[in-house]
């Protein structure tokens, strides 16, 4: 089954504050005190993010960032770490990218795994970012932090947006 996701992930309380600042944001709870804010077209084009005139030159390489998003993430991250994640998988192959902002700056990443490239021993980019947010694998049924926080619950950004 295909899986695609573009989202911000962080402590639930912190992302609730961020979501309150951007009315187009839709917050979905994850486990371990985290939440996910899907990067829907409505969110990405919100005037609160500094406009919708195209992608910015994001230091973490996310080409879908609108002009002001990285600055907003940096500002929000002064209150706690925030990860930006993206993945696109189908048929067992795909890509992942993740970065974490903390204390107002890019703190981890960008971490990237290209198509057909195996994950490094320390884990996938998204699992490593989640680990930086405090996520832990504590149950034998979870292969990694991705599963442990519940990211397998929905298979697309759009489904996460309606799951809240």
């Amino acid at each position: 089954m295909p899986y695609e996701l573009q989202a911000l992930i962080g402590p639930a309380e912190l992302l609730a504050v961020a979501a309150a600042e951007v009315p187009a944001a839709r917050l979905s709870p994850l486990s371990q005190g985290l939440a996910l804010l899907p990067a829907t077209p409505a969110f990405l084009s919100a005037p609160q993010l500094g406009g919708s005139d195209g992608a910015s030159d994001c230091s973490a390489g996310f080409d879908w960032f609108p002009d002001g998003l990285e600055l907003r993430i940096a500002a929000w991250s002064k209150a706690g770490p925030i990860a930006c994640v993206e993945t696109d998988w189908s048929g067992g192959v795909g890509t992942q990218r993740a970065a974490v902002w903390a204390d107002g700056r890019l703190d981890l990443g960008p971490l990237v795994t290209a198509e057909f490239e195996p994950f490094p021993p320390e884990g996938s980019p998204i699992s490593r970012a989640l680990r930086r947010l405090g996520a832990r694998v504590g149950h034998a049924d979870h292969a990694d932090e991705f599963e442990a926080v519940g990211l397998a619950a929905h298979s697309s950004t759009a489904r996460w947006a309606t799951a809240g």
Side-chain angles (χ1 to χ4, degrees), residues 53 61 65 150 154:
D53 58 349
F65 269 41
H154 304 287

Side-chain angles (χ1 to χ4, degrees), residues 15 34 39-40 45 49-50 52 101 103 108 115 121 131 135 143 148 150 152 164:
L15 283 192
L34 299 175
T40 63
S45 64
L49 296 180
S52 60
W101 282 260
D103 299 319
L108 176 68
E115 194 169 5
R131 203 173 305 131

Side-chain angles (χ1 to χ4, degrees), residues 55-69:
S56 71
D57 185 20
C58 173
S59 63
F62 296 94
D63 61 4
W64 48 270
F65 269 41
D67 291 334
L69 182 57

Side-chain angles (χ1 to χ4, degrees), residues 15-25 48-49 72 76:
L15 283 192
V17 170
E21 293 179 16
V22 183
Q48 296 83 0
L49 296 180
R72 290 303 286 261
W76 292 327

Side-chain angles (χ1 to χ4, degrees), residues 6 9 14 41 43 45 52 63 68 72 115 117 120 124 151 160:
Q6 295 174 333
I9 299 175
L14 175 56
F43 174 75
S45 64
S52 60
D63 61 4
R72 290 303 286 261
E115 194 169 5
E117 182 180 354
S124 74
L151 283 176
W160 277 106

